[in-house]
Amino acid sequence: MCLLCSFHCAGEAKNIPPYPGPNKMRDCYCTVNLDQEEVFRTKIVEKSLCPFYGEDFYCEIPRSFRHLSFYIFDRDVFRRDSSIGKVAVKKEDLQKYHGKDTWFQLQPVSADSEVQGKVHLELRLSEVITDSGVISHKLATRVLECQGLPIVNGQCDPYAAVSLLGPSRSEAKKTKVKRKTNNPQFEEVFYFEVTRPLSYTKRQFDVEEEDVDKLALRVDLWNASNLKFGDEFLGGVRVPLRVLGQAGVHDAWYFLQPRENGGKSVKVDELGSLRLNIVYTEDHVFPSEHYTPLRDLLLHSANVEVCAPAPALLTPPPTQVLLLVPLTAVSHPPSVDPNTIFRGNSLTSKCIDETMKLAGMHYLQVTLKPIIDEICTEHKPCEIDPVKLKESENLETNRENLRHYVDRIFNVITTSGVRCPTVMCDIFFSLRESAATRFQVDQDVRYTAVSSFIFLRFFAPAILSPNLFHLRPHHPDPATSRTLTLISKTIQTLGSLAKSKSANFKESYMAAFYDYFNEQKYADAVKNFLDLISTSGKWDQKSIETPIMLKEGFMIKRAQGRNRFGMKNFKKRWFRLTNHEFTYHRTKGEGALCSIPIENILAVERLEEESFKMKNMFQVIQPERALYIQANNCVEARDWIDILTKVSQCNRKRLSTYHPSAYLNGHWLCCKLSADTAPGCTPCTGGLPANIQLDVDGDRETERIYSLFSTYMTKLIKMQEACGSKSVYDGPEQEEYSTFVIDDPQETYKTLKQIISAVQTLEQQHTKYKRDKFKKTKIGSQEHPIGDKSFQCYIRQQSESSTYSI
């Protein structure tokens, strides 16, 4: 069973403090962080103190975290960007803001409050008899290890300072500094004498409660800095000695906490505020057999012939049973204009949108990425709005630049039909035939039905926001973003085949620019392309001879040991993945230092942190060795693993097992086998048979569908009651369901009954799992350190639930 967490968020900021100087405006961007690990960055909004971002970021969270944080930065061309403020939402508070627009006051960014990680401590109170026969008690404090410490200024050289707090006590002892690791192993013991009154003469080991209550152990983690400003505080923990109890022993993990009064004294309203809409879900995914009843019901529904009225199918709440209706059963009401078919959001359009994202990602990469990369690199001026034109720019030159880009993108799209994925072609064929049958008078409807998806919902959004479709790693700069907007609008209109195209533009400058393309050859090219991708029949995708760049960026790699006497150290390299090879370079633009053909990739898997005490590591396994790589953050690591797996999943010699840890010091750390060629000890997680084209985890998707049904169970039950009542047959419609008619209430009732039964069974299994987890969980364990308020909240909820059920 795995835990699947995800969130997406969007927002704006207001009342950012002005820049100290004559030009008070700022160029701001916002980052999304899991604790201090950046996983997303918005575009830069220039010259504004109230920047609007309005960006959605969706992320499946691949690791545990304590805070979801948002930082506002001011871009500085000449030095490091400066942080203005932050919003840090505790994990246990995310549900409080779920799905709500909320304004958060920005808080100051202070090194003393930037705390993450945990420490493992062991305390033991021992009785010692001195040479003079006096009995004293000493506290043995063992600092074992830390995990997940923050990295400060690109490095982490931690040490621990341990002190016993109490009346007249201030002594502190330090561990050795552990270099270049944020998961240090200390294994050091420190002894502190527990002071007793002179009258204390008991021979029996005992600790008086009033003495213990006055003492506490303080452990602070520091980063040993070479800078003149001194060492940086990483976090601390305070442990009262009363936790020792009668046994005199305590062994537990603790979450590190910020230093008391460590923040700057800044007024709350001085930094501005940030509006966020956070949607956070947390799903427990069971083994596959738990989902069999619901999954079988969903899969079987594709073979059920359903004839339902259009309003019920095209605009239902996403929670209704009509999720089960196959796409081919869709028809439009007579009032729908064939020229606007599928322009609005409906259940059908959303289903097809998701399918295109799943099946068409590589198709987008191959078709658009080269020209999008070129546009983002060249920075040619393309502004054609006379009002926005800069003094140094020429309108005719800009028009020609834009026309050149539009022509090239139009050509690569309309000549790409043979590479359109088969599943998309099958959907387009069904759409074309259904639309032609429904609107027999309009001969062009078979084109507009398909173009509404392939141009309006697929190519145009990818051109407009290439970062959201993995065509670019980050947001384009404002000027390039404007160029892509103009291209997207033109391509969208070219693909629409509307009767009066110039009327599609509200701006006169766009209508004038479109006259360049108001020729029959463009309409013919679009129709030929739409005919090709909506033709029934399957073909093999032709091999692509030209290398297409799929992903690139800086990462840290470990030397592979190809040179017998070479140092196996870690170095920063520029990695580049195409559909032909995976390479790394000393820097971007230089020749490759190493090239791995795609067919030589046998598996791509995560690497356990214990191997090198480094986070976000994965391995690219080749026939003779494995390449160990560290990504910049957990989300990027997952993205690299996903795309490397997908591009190599059809290789004939893919491995079925692998070693999750590294081969070091003459043996595999995971299974302890000494032969470096020993078969793997763990089943591979990635890769699919060559005949499967979609990388979909059926269990995770079924769990999401279950969650959707569970959330709206009340509506499902009401709908079932509506089907079972006489009002469905001959009485007045219930108000909640007056927007559609159920043609076959008996069959709908049966289907709803099956869904409700399957969902309720899964709810019972989830409840049992949480109850069993509650019984087995130990506070202070590595998984649930002391100070984990999120888990304490969970414990409280389970306790209340157990009391209520009793």
Side-chain angles (χ1 to χ4, degrees):
M1 178 171 185
C2 70
L3 178 67
L4 174 65
C5 304
S6 60
F7 67 83
H8 73 79
C9 44
E12 61 178 313
K14 67 180 180 181
N15 301 329
I16 299 294
Y19 188 83
N23 181 11
K24 299 182 180 300
M25 296 293 103
R26 293 182 183 267
D27 300 338
C28 296
Y29 62 90
C30 178
T31 66
V32 183
N33 297 56
L34 295 178
D35 296 322
Q36 292 182 47
E37 184 179 358
E38 181 183 322
V39 295
F40 178 72
R41 179 176 295 194
T42 70
K43 62 188 176 186
I44 297 173
V45 178
E46 296 181 325
K47 300 178 181 178
S48 174
L49 298 180
C50 297
F52 177 79
Y53 301 107
E55 298 185 35
D56 279 341
F57 168 60
Y58 172 83
C59 167
E60 289 185 7
I61 304 174
R63 66 169 179 83
S64 60
F65 66 100
R66 295 170 65 185
H67 293 89
L68 175 63
S69 303
F70 303 84
Y71 290 77
I72 297 291
F73 286 91
D74 184 16
R75 180 184 63 174
D76 194 314
V77 178
F78 303 104
R79 56 186 178 86
R80 286 187 62 185
D81 296 351
S82 57
S83 57
I84 297 174
K86 72 173 183 179
V87 171
V89 183
K90 297 177 182 178
K91 182 181 179 182
E92 60 266 25
D93 292 336
L94 286 172
Q95 286 296 336
K96 186 190 306 182
Y97 306 108
H98 175 77
K100 303 174 184 176
D101 266 353
T102 308
W103 282 98
F104 295 88
Q105 289 292 338
L106 288 170
Q107 302 297 322
V109 178
S110 166
D112 288 336
S113 66
E114 298 289 280
V115 170
Q116 65 183 56
K118 50 191 174 183
V119 60
H120 187 190
L121 302 175
E122 182 183 292
L123 280 63
R124 186 180 299 273
L125 201 59
S126 304
E127 184 180 77
V128 179
I129 302 177
T130 64
D131 294 339
S132 60
V134 176
I135 299 175
S136 65
H137 293 83
K138 288 192 175 182
L139 175 69
T141 301
R142 187 182 180 195
V143 183
L144 289 93
E145 60 178 313
C146 292
Q147 287 188 355
L149 297 178
I151 296 175
V152 182
N153 296 323
Q155 58 99 36
C156 188
D157 298 329
Y159 69 88
V162 186
S163 56
L164 188 63
L165 306 178
S168 303
R169 292 177 182 273
S170 60
E171 55 182 322
K173 302 176 182 181
K174 298 180 181 179
T175 67
K176 295 178 181 177
V177 176
K178 300 295 181 180
R179 298 290 178 184
K180 297 183 179 180
T181 177
N182 64 340
N183 299 307
Q185 301 275 342
F186 293 113
E187 294 289 351
E188 294 192 40
V189 181
F190 302 100
Y191 294 93
F192 297 92
E193 184 175 348
V194 178
T195 304
R196 294 291 172 210
L198 295 176
S199 59
Y200 187 84
T201 57
K202 281 187 177 182
R203 299 288 300 178
Q204 182 182 358
F205 172 70
D206 190 16
V207 180
E208 294 180 1
E209 189 67 27
E210 59 268 24
D211 292 332
V212 174
D213 285 344
K214 297 176 183 177
L215 300 176
L217 186 76
R218 177 82 191 181
V219 179
D220 290 331
L221 273 297
W222 297 83
N223 180 41
S225 174
N226 296 323
L227 302 176
K228 60 181 179 180
F229 304 109
D231 297 346
E232 292 102 347
F233 177 73
L234 301 179
V237 61
R238 186 179 185 275
V239 184
L241 292 197
R242 59 175 175 268
V243 300
L244 291 166
Q246 293 297 320
V249 178
H250 179 67
D251 184 345
W253 284 84
Y254 283 84
F255 267 138
L256 296 174
Q257 303 296 333
R259 186 157 48 184
E260 296 178 0
N261 301 322
K264 299 176 182 178
S265 56
V266 178
K267 291 183 180 179
V268 173
D269 57 353
E270 287 185 355
L271 297 178
S273 54
L274 180 66
R275 181 178 66 86
L276 299 169
N277 188 324
I278 302 173
V279 177
Y280 175 77
T281 60
E282 187 171 301
D283 296 323
H284 296 272
V285 184
F286 285 112
S288 185
E289 60 269 16
H290 289 72
Y291 300 105
T292 299
L294 182 58
R295 182 171 53 242
D296 288 349
L297 183 61
L298 292 168
L299 296 176
H300 178 67
S301 68
N303 301 319
V304 177
E305 292 187 4
V306 179
C307 182
L313 294 170
L314 295 178
T315 57
T319 57
Q320 293 178 358
V321 69
L322 299 168
L323 276 170
L324 306 180
V325 177
L327 296 175
T328 53
V330 176
S331 61
H332 282 266
S335 59
V336 172
D337 182 353
N339 291 320
T340 61
I341 189 171
F342 293 122
R343 290 300 177 94
N345 280 327
S346 66
L347 177 63
T348 302
S349 65
K350 289 177 181 178
C351 288
I352 297 178
D353 285 350
E354 292 304 314
T355 303
M356 290 193 300
K357 288 179 182 177
L358 281 170
M361 194 59 68
H362 182 67
Y363 177 41
L364 274 181
Q365 297 272 350
V366 170
T367 307
L368 290 183
K369 186 168 177 54
I371 180 63
I372 294 293
D373 284 341
E374 189 176 320
I375 293 170
C376 293
T377 303
E378 289 181 343
H379 301 292
K380 287 184 178 179
C382 295
E383 182 57 70
I384 58 173
D385 183 355
V387 177
K388 297 181 179 180
L389 202 68
K390 296 179 181 178
E391 293 183 1
S392 59
E393 295 177 354
N394 179 275
L395 182 59
E396 288 304 319
T397 301
N398 288 10
R399 280 177 179 165
E400 187 57 35
N401 290 339
L402 184 60
R403 181 182 178 182
H404 172 72
Y405 283 145
V406 171
D407 255 329
R408 290 188 56 189
I409 288 186
F410 178 81
N411 287 331
V412 297
I413 290 175
T414 53
T415 58
S416 69
V418 72
R419 294 195 294 271
C420 185
T422 302
V423 66
M424 290 174 61
C425 294
D426 289 342
I427 291 173
F428 296 151
F429 173 74
S430 296
L431 286 172
R432 188 189 73 174
E433 294 301 304
S434 298
T437 303
R438 174 64 184 83
F439 302 99
Q440 297 181 12
V441 178
D442 193 324
Q443 295 298 314
D444 286 335
V445 72
R446 64 184 189 275
Y447 295 116
T448 55
V450 178
S451 67
S452 294
F453 285 100
I454 194 68
F455 281 100
L456 180 66
R457 298 173 177 272
F458 189 65
F459 283 121
I463 297 169
L464 183 65
S465 304
N467 57 296
L468 298 182
F469 291 81
H470 305 292
L471 299 177
R472 294 289 295 175
H474 302 293
H475 288 276
D477 61 81
T480 305
S481 182
R482 172 65 175 164
T483 298
L484 294 174
T485 299
L486 296 172
I487 295 172
S488 178
K489 292 173 71 172
T490 310
I491 290 294
Q492 180 178 321
T493 305
L494 276 168
S496 68
L497 292 170
K499 298 292 190 299
S500 178
K501 297 180 179 179
S502 296
N504 288 349
F505 297 106
K506 298 178 181 178
E507 310 93 340
S508 58
Y509 63 85
M510 283 299 300
F513 174 72
Y514 192 80
D515 287 339
Y516 287 117
F517 307 96
N518 199 9
E519 299 180 23
Q520 188 60 37
K521 68 176 183 178
Y522 290 101
D524 291 341
V526 170
K527 288 184 177 181
N528 290 335
F529 170 67
L530 296 175
D531 277 332
L532 182 60
I533 65 172
S534 60
T535 300
S536 181
K538 304 181 185 298
W539 56 78
D540 294 328
Q541 295 190 27
K542 294 184 178 180
S543 60
I544 304 164
E545 297 299 330
T546 304
I548 303 298
M549 204 279 291
L550 303 177
K551 188 174 178 63
E552 59 182 346
F554 278 111
M555 292 190 290
I556 306 295
K557 68 97 186 176
R558 182 177 185 261
Q560 301 180 74
R562 291 178 296 168
N563 298 327
R564 185 173 182 182
F565 301 104
M567 293 286 291
K568 292 186 179 181
N569 52 2
F570 289 88
K571 292 185 178 179
K572 188 175 183 180
R573 292 289 183 255
W574 179 263
F575 284 82
R576 191 171 187 270
L577 174 65
T578 72
N579 57 316
H580 288 181
E581 60 183 357
F582 182 49
T583 59
Y584 60 79
H585 314 247
R586 196 178 307 278
T587 188
K588 184 177 181 180
E590 288 192 2
L593 298 174
C594 176
S595 173
I596 303 173
I598 295 300
E599 58 268 21
N600 284 1
I601 298 178
L602 307 183
V604 184
E605 299 286 349
R606 296 188 182 278
L607 189 69
E608 292 182 352
E609 291 181 19
E610 288 74 14
S611 297
F612 300 104
K613 309 301 179 187
M614 297 167 64
K615 289 180 174 293
N616 308 321
M617 291 202 70
F618 63 96
Q619 52 184 318
V620 179
I621 304 173
Q622 309 163 66
E624 297 179 356
R625 63 183 66 87
L627 175 59
Y628 299 137
I629 304 172
Q630 183 188 36
N632 295 320
N633 59 61
C634 56
V635 173
E636 187 175 310
R638 189 200 64 209
D639 288 344
W640 273 105
I641 293 172
D642 284 349
I643 193 168
L644 280 164
T645 298
K646 288 174 182 176
V647 79
S648 63
Q649 66 186 13
C650 295
N651 289 350
R652 296 178 181 178
K653 296 181 179 180
R654 281 191 64 90
L655 298 176
S656 58
T657 60
Y658 78 106
H659 293 283
S661 293
Y663 183 81
L664 294 173
N665 301 322
H667 68 276
W668 294 99
L669 299 181
C670 41
C671 57
K672 308 305 180 185
L673 294 177
S674 57
D676 60 353
T677 57
C681 57
T682 303
C684 286
T685 57
L688 293 167
N691 60 338
I692 297 179
Q693 298 181 14
L694 296 182
D695 188 8
V696 178
D697 188 328
D699 297 335
R700 294 168 76 169
E701 298 304 321
T702 311
E703 170 64 27
R704 286 173 176 165
I705 294 172
Y706 150 75
S707 297
L708 184 66
F709 280 135
S710 179
T711 302
Y712 294 93
M713 177 59 74
T714 303
K715 290 189 176 182
L716 289 176
I717 293 175
K718 285 184 178 179
M719 190 176 183
Q720 185 187 31
E721 292 171 352
C723 292
S725 68
K726 287 188 65 176
S727 64
V728 173
Y729 299 96
D730 51 16
E733 290 289 339
Q734 292 188 15
E735 183 178 349
E736 187 173 355
Y737 300 103
S738 60
T739 55
F740 64 88
V741 178
I742 302 173
D743 279 357
D744 195 338
Q746 289 139 332
E747 287 301 317
T748 305
Y749 180 90
K750 292 178 183 178
T751 304
L752 282 165
K753 184 177 180 180
Q754 290 176 292
I755 291 174
I756 292 171
S757 175
V759 171
Q760 289 177 340
T761 300
L762 278 168
E763 282 181 343
Q764 293 171 1
Q765 292 169 343
H766 277 283
T767 301
K768 182 180 183 300
Y769 165 77
K770 291 179 180 178
R771 190 185 304 119
D772 293 343
K773 179 183 176 184
F774 171 69
K775 292 178 181 178
K776 296 176 182 177
T777 300
K778 179 184 176 183
I779 300 179
S781 63
Q782 185 173 357
E783 294 77 18
H784 303 288
I786 296 173
D788 184 356
K789 294 183 180 179
S790 175
F791 181 68
Q792 291 173 356
C793 178
Y794 166 76
I795 290 291
R796 185 175 61 255
Q797 292 172 351
Q798 292 303 309
S799 299
E800 293 171 356
S801 173
S802 300
T803 304
Y804 177 77
S805 63
I806 291 173

